[in-house]
Coordinates of all heavy atoms in Angstrom, one line a residue:
L69 N 0.3 -11.8 2.9 CA -0.3 -12.8 2.1 C -1.0 -13.8 3.0 O -2.2 -14.2 2.7 CB 0.8 -13.7 1.5 CG 1.6 -13.1 0.3 CD1 2.7 -13.9 -0.1 CD2 0.5 -12.9 -0.8
A70 N -0.6 -14.1 4.3 CA -1.3 -15.0 5.2 C -2.6 -14.3 5.6 O -3.7 -15.1 5.6 CB -0.5 -15.3 6.3
R71 N -2.6 -13.1 5.9 CA -3.8 -12.4 6.3 C -4.9 -12.4 5.1 O -6.1 -12.7 5.4 CB -3.5 -10.9 6.6 CG -2.9 -10.7 8.0 CD -2.8 -9.3 8.3 NE -2.3 -9.1 9.6 CZ -1.4 -8.2 9.9 NH1 -1.1 -7.2 9.0 NH2 -0.9 -8.1 11.1
R72 N -4.4 -12.2 3.9 CA -5.3 -12.2 2.8 C -6.0 -13.5 2.6 O -7.1 -13.7 2.3 CB -4.6 -11.7 1.5 CG -4.3 -10.2 1.5 CD -3.6 -9.8 0.3 NE -3.3 -8.4 0.3 CZ -2.4 -7.8 -0.5 NH1 -1.7 -8.5 -1.4 NH2 -2.2 -6.5 -0.4
L73 N -5.1 -14.5 2.7 CA -5.6 -15.9 2.6 C -6.7 -16.2 3.6 O -7.7 -16.8 3.4 CB -4.5 -16.9 2.6 CG -5.0 -18.4 2.4 CD1 -5.5 -18.6 1.0 CD2 -3.9 -19.4 2.8
C74 N -6.4 -15.8 4.9 CA -7.3 -16.1 6.0 C -8.7 -15.3 5.7 O -9.7 -15.9 6.0 CB -6.7 -15.7 7.3 SG -5.4 -16.8 7.8
V75 N -8.6 -14.1 5.2 CA -9.8 -13.4 4.9 C -10.6 -14.0 3.9 O -11.8 -14.2 3.9 CB -9.4 -11.8 4.6 CG1 -10.6 -11.2 4.1 CG2 -8.9 -11.2 5.8
A76 N -9.9 -14.5 2.8 CA -10.6 -15.2 1.7 C -11.2 -16.5 2.2 O -12.3 -16.9 1.9 CB -9.5 -15.5 0.6
E77 N -10.5 -17.2 3.1 CA -11.0 -18.4 3.7 C -12.3 -18.2 4.5 O -13.3 -18.8 4.4 CB -9.9 -19.1 4.6 CG -10.4 -20.3 5.4 CD -9.4 -20.6 6.4 OE1 -8.4 -20.1 6.6 OE2 -9.8 -21.6 7.2
L78 N -12.2 -17.1 5.3 CA -13.3 -16.8 6.1 C -14.6 -16.3 5.3 O -15.7 -16.7 5.5 CB -13.0 -15.6 7.1 CG -14.2 -15.1 8.0 CD1 -14.6 -16.3 8.9 CD2 -13.6 -14.0 8.9
G79 N -14.2 -15.6 4.2 CA -15.3 -15.3 3.2 C -15.9 -16.5 2.5 O -17.1 -16.5 2.4
G80 N -15.1 -17.5 2.3 CA -15.6 -18.8 1.7 C -16.5 -19.4 2.7 O -17.6 -20.0 2.3
V81 N -16.1 -19.5 4.0 CA -16.9 -20.2 5.0 C -18.2 -19.4 5.1 O -19.3 -20.1 5.2 CB -16.2 -20.2 6.3 CG1 -17.1 -20.7 7.4 CG2 -14.9 -21.0 6.3
I82 N -18.2 -18.2 5.2 CA -19.4 -17.4 5.3 C -20.4 -17.5 4.1 O -21.5 -17.7 4.1 CB -19.1 -15.9 5.6 CG1 -18.5 -15.7 7.0 CG2 -20.4 -15.0 5.4 CD1 -17.9 -14.4 7.3
L83 N -19.7 -17.4 2.9 CA -20.5 -17.5 1.6 C -21.1 -19.0 1.4 O -22.4 -19.0 1.2 CB -19.6 -17.2 0.4 CG -20.3 -17.2 -0.9 CD1 -21.4 -16.1 -1.0 CD2 -19.3 -17.1 -2.0
V84 N -20.3 -19.9 1.7 CA -20.8 -21.4 1.6 C -21.7 -21.6 2.7 O -22.9 -22.3 2.4 CB -19.7 -22.3 1.5 CG1 -20.2 -23.8 1.5 CG2 -18.9 -22.1 0.2
G85 N -21.5 -21.2 3.8 CA -22.4 -21.4 5.0 C -23.8 -20.8 4.7 O -24.8 -21.4 4.9
L86 N -23.8 -19.6 4.3 CA -25.0 -18.8 4.0 C -25.8 -19.4 2.9 O -27.0 -19.7 2.9 CB -24.8 -17.4 3.8 CG -24.6 -16.4 4.9 CD1 -24.3 -15.1 4.4 CD2 -25.9 -16.4 5.7
S87 N -25.1 -19.8 1.8 CA -25.8 -20.4 0.6 C -26.3 -21.8 0.9 O -27.3 -22.2 0.4 CB -24.9 -20.4 -0.6 OG -23.7 -21.3 -0.5
S88 N -25.6 -22.5 1.9 CA -26.1 -23.8 2.2 C -27.4 -23.7 3.1 O -28.1 -24.6 3.2 CB -25.0 -24.7 2.9 OG -24.6 -24.2 4.1
V89 N -27.5 -22.6 3.8 CA -28.7 -22.4 4.6 C -29.9 -21.9 3.7 O -31.0 -22.4 3.8 CB -28.5 -21.4 5.7 CG1 -29.7 -21.0 6.4 CG2 -27.5 -22.0 6.7
I90 N -29.6 -21.0 2.8 CA -30.6 -20.4 2.0 C -31.0 -21.3 0.8 O -32.1 -21.3 0.4 CB -30.0 -19.0 1.4 CG1 -29.8 -18.0 2.6 CG2 -31.0 -18.5 0.4 CD1 -29.1 -16.8 2.2
F91 N -30.1 -22.0 0.2 CA -30.3 -22.9 -0.9 C -29.8 -24.3 -0.6 O -28.9 -24.9 -1.3 CB -29.6 -22.4 -2.2 CG -29.7 -21.0 -2.5 CD1 -28.8 -20.0 -2.2 CD2 -31.0 -20.6 -3.0 CE1 -29.0 -18.7 -2.6 CE2 -31.2 -19.2 -3.3 CZ -30.2 -18.3 -3.1
P92 N -30.5 -25.0 0.3 CA -30.0 -26.3 0.7 C -30.1 -27.4 -0.4 O -29.3 -28.3 -0.3 CB -31.0 -26.7 1.9 CG -32.1 -25.8 1.7 CD -31.7 -24.5 1.1
A93 N -31.0 -27.2 -1.3 CA -31.1 -28.1 -2.4 C -29.8 -28.1 -3.3 O -29.5 -29.1 -4.0 CB -32.3 -27.9 -3.3
S94 N -29.1 -27.0 -3.3 CA -27.8 -26.9 -4.0 C -26.7 -27.7 -3.4 O -25.6 -28.0 -4.0 CB -27.3 -25.5 -4.1 OG -28.3 -24.7 -4.8
Y95 N -26.9 -28.2 -2.1 CA -25.9 -28.9 -1.3 C -26.5 -30.3 -0.9 O -26.8 -30.5 0.2 CB -25.4 -28.2 -0.1 CG -24.8 -26.9 -0.6 CD1 -25.4 -25.7 -0.7 CD2 -23.4 -26.9 -0.8 CE1 -24.9 -24.5 -1.1 CE2 -22.7 -25.7 -1.2 CZ -23.5 -24.5 -1.3 OH -22.9 -23.3 -1.8
P96 N -26.8 -31.2 -1.9 CA -27.3 -32.5 -1.4 C -26.4 -33.4 -0.6 O -26.8 -34.2 0.1 CB -27.6 -33.3 -2.8 CG -26.6 -32.5 -3.7 CD -26.5 -31.2 -3.3
D97 N -25.1 -32.9 -0.5 CA -24.1 -33.6 0.4 C -23.3 -32.4 0.9 O -23.2 -31.4 0.3 CB -23.2 -34.5 -0.3 CG -22.6 -35.5 0.6 OD1 -22.8 -35.4 1.9 OD2 -21.9 -36.5 0.2
A98 N -22.8 -32.5 2.1 CA -22.2 -31.5 2.8 C -20.8 -31.1 2.3 O -20.1 -32.1 1.8 CB -22.1 -31.7 4.4
T99 N -20.3 -29.9 2.4 CA -18.9 -29.6 2.2 C -18.3 -29.3 3.6 O -19.0 -29.3 4.6 CB -18.9 -28.3 1.3 OG1 -19.1 -27.1 2.2 CG2 -19.7 -28.3 0.1
V100 N -17.0 -29.1 3.5 CA -16.4 -28.7 4.8 C -16.9 -27.4 5.4 O -17.0 -27.3 6.5 CB -14.9 -28.5 4.5 CG1 -14.1 -28.1 5.8 CG2 -14.2 -29.8 4.0
W101 N -17.4 -26.5 4.5 CA -17.8 -25.2 5.0 C -19.3 -25.1 5.0 O -19.9 -24.1 5.4 CB -17.3 -24.1 4.0 CG -15.8 -23.9 4.1 CD1 -15.0 -24.4 5.1 CD2 -15.0 -23.3 3.1 NE1 -13.7 -24.0 4.8 CE2 -13.7 -23.3 3.6 CE3 -15.2 -22.7 2.0 CZ2 -12.5 -22.7 2.9 CZ3 -14.2 -22.0 1.2 CH2 -12.9 -22.2 1.7
S102 N -20.0 -26.1 4.6 CA -21.5 -26.1 4.7 C -22.0 -25.9 6.1 O -21.4 -26.3 7.1 CB -22.2 -27.5 4.4 OG -21.9 -27.8 3.0
L103 N -23.1 -25.1 6.2 CA -23.5 -24.7 7.6 C -22.5 -24.2 8.5 O -22.5 -24.5 9.7 CB -24.4 -25.9 8.2 CG -25.5 -26.4 7.3 CD1 -26.1 -27.7 8.0 CD2 -26.6 -25.5 7.1
F104 N -21.6 -23.4 7.9 CA -20.5 -22.8 8.6 C -19.5 -23.8 9.3 O -18.9 -23.5 10.3 CB -21.1 -21.7 9.7 CG -22.0 -20.8 9.0 CD1 -23.3 -21.0 9.1 CD2 -21.5 -19.7 8.2 CE1 -24.3 -20.2 8.5 CE2 -22.4 -18.9 7.6 CZ -23.8 -19.1 7.7
G105 N -19.4 -25.0 8.7 CA -18.6 -26.0 9.3 C -19.1 -26.8 10.3 O -18.4 -27.4 11.1
S106 N -20.4 -26.9 10.4 CA -21.1 -27.6 11.5 C -20.6 -29.1 11.6 O -20.6 -29.7 12.6 CB -22.6 -27.5 11.4 OG -23.1 -28.2 10.2
G107 N -20.4 -29.7 10.4 CA -19.9 -31.1 10.4 C -18.6 -31.2 11.0 O -18.2 -32.4 11.4
Y108 N -17.9 -30.3 11.3 CA -16.5 -30.3 11.8 C -16.5 -29.4 13.1 O -15.5 -28.7 13.4 CB -15.4 -29.8 10.8 CG -15.3 -30.7 9.7 CD1 -16.0 -30.6 8.5 CD2 -14.3 -31.7 9.8 CE1 -15.8 -31.5 7.5 CE2 -14.1 -32.6 8.8 CZ -14.9 -32.5 7.6 OH -14.6 -33.4 6.5
A109 N -17.6 -29.4 13.8 CA -17.8 -28.6 15.1 C -17.4 -27.2 15.0 O -16.9 -26.5 15.9 CB -16.9 -29.3 16.1

Side-chain angles (χ1 to χ4, degrees):
L69 285 172
R71 281 185 183 146
R72 287 180 182 164
L73 181 68
C74 290
V75 168
E77 174 192 357
L78 183 59
V81 173
I82 292 169
L83 182 66
V84 172
L86 279 174
S87 67
S88 66
V89 169
I90 297 169
F91 307 107
S94 297
Y95 298 89
D97 202 355
T99 75
V100 176
W101 294 342
S102 296
L103 303 173
F104 308 99
S106 65
Y108 292 88

